[in-house]
């Protein structure tokens, strides 16, 4: 369905002479990614509403997408599998983060332990190449640098959240970091 809509939209742009025929594949891919990201956003909003955790859902989505883009890792080989695995990962992370909040004093230690673990994964493995989207050596260098920068940004956000006593958001950050680490180790699969 996503392929069909993307192809139709790109063809429409060619017919209306908005883009050139040789650019059509690029636009098809752009439409595919945009539609997929829109569906994932709807999934996370739905899960956040169901769990009464909309702020946490938004944080999960921002952290997950920004780190996964540069770090790489497991990618499903179809959009249906992608949406299902994203929904499952989102629900598990948001559910676990509710449980993590009850840890109280150990939450800060857990934050640093998980943050260090993700940092080690990124340092040793990022970016993890996907067979459907090979990257050049220049892209590898850029993605590695960006993955470290994004990781440092979210670690800083975690410290700020801790100072603001936002335990539920800290717990969400912890569960998201765990999910990203796991997905970096489970790198088999298809679509980027």
């Amino acid at each position: 369905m996503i392929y069909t809509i993307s192809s139709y939209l790109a063809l429409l742009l060619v017919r209306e002479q908005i883009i050139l025929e040789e650019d059509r594949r690029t636009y098809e891919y752009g439409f595919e990614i945009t539609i997929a990201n829109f569906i994932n956003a709807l999934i996370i909003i739905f899960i956040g509403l169901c769990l009464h955790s909309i702020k946490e859902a938004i944080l999960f989505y921002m952290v997950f997408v920004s780190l996964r883009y540069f770090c790489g890792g497991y990618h499903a080989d179809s959009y249906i599998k992608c949406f299902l695995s994203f929904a499952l990962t989102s629900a598990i992370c948001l559910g676990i983060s509710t449980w993590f909040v009850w840890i109280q004093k150990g939450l800060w230690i857990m934050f640093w332990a998980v943050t260090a673990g993700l940092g080690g994964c990124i340092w040793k493995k990022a970016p993890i190449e996907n067979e459907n989207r090979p990257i050049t050596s220049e892209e590898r260098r850029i993605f590695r640098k960006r993955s470290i920068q994004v990781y440092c940004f979210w670690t800083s956000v975690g410290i700020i959240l801790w100072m603001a006593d936002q335990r539920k958001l800290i717990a969400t950050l912890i569960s998201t970091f765990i999910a990203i680490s796991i997905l970096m180790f489970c790198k088999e699969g298809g679509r980027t």
Side-chain angles (χ1 to χ4, degrees):
M1 180 74 150
I2 291 177
Y3 303 114
T4 306
I5 294 169
S6 300
S7 295
Y8 174 75
L9 292 172
L11 182 60
L12 190 62
L13 292 176
V14 170
R15 283 188 192 155
E16 295 296 321
Q17 298 178 352
I18 296 172
I19 64 170
L20 300 172
E21 176 63 41
E22 56 261 19
D23 295 333
R24 182 176 165 191
R25 293 280 181 226
T26 302
Y27 280 83
E28 284 177 2
Y29 180 71
F31 284 130
E32 276 183 44
I33 297 303
T34 302
I35 293 167
N37 285 331
F38 180 73
I39 292 170
N40 278 335
L42 290 177
I43 289 169
I44 195 65
I45 289 169
F46 177 75
I47 291 170
L49 288 171
C50 289
L51 297 175
H52 305 287
S53 301
I54 199 69
K55 285 189 307 190
E56 293 77 11
I58 292 168
L59 178 66
F60 168 83
Y61 188 71
M62 291 183 338
V63 175
F64 190 84
V65 169
S66 63
L67 276 169
R68 290 273 294 145
Y69 181 79
F70 293 111
C71 293
Y74 173 78
H75 289 277
D77 58 6
S78 74
Y79 283 113
I80 294 296
K81 289 178 186 175
C82 176
F83 299 142
L84 290 174
S85 64
F86 179 73
L88 183 63
T89 301
S90 304
I92 289 171
C93 284
L94 292 174
I96 286 174
S97 67
T98 302
W99 181 73
F100 284 166
V101 171
W102 299 109
I103 293 173
Q104 295 295 330
K105 295 181 195 279
L107 193 62
W108 188 237
I109 294 167
M110 186 178 205
F111 170 76
W112 282 112
V114 170
T115 300
L118 176 60
C121 287
I122 290 171
W123 187 258
K124 289 188 104 173
K125 296 176 127 328
I128 297 173
E129 193 169 346
N130 183 278
E131 64 189 33
N132 286 345
R133 173 46 172 96
I135 56 177
T136 66
S137 59
E138 179 62 17
E139 286 175 319
R140 176 174 296 286
R141 187 185 65 74
I142 291 169
F143 279 31
R144 179 168 179 72
K145 181 180 175 183
R146 293 286 185 263
S147 64
I148 293 169
Q149 290 170 337
V150 173
Y151 162 77
C152 290
F153 172 78
W154 287 118
T155 300
S156 300
V157 168
I159 294 167
I160 292 166
L161 290 172
W162 184 264
M163 291 188 306
D165 197 33
Q166 295 294 314
R167 292 181 177 277
K168 199 165 179 193
L169 292 174
I170 287 283
T172 301
L173 200 55
I174 291 169
S175 65
T176 308
F177 281 5
I178 291 170
I180 292 166
S181 299
I182 291 169
L183 291 170
M184 287 181 73
F185 281 101
C186 303
K187 64 181 179 178
E188 300 79 36
R191 190 161 311 289
T192 53

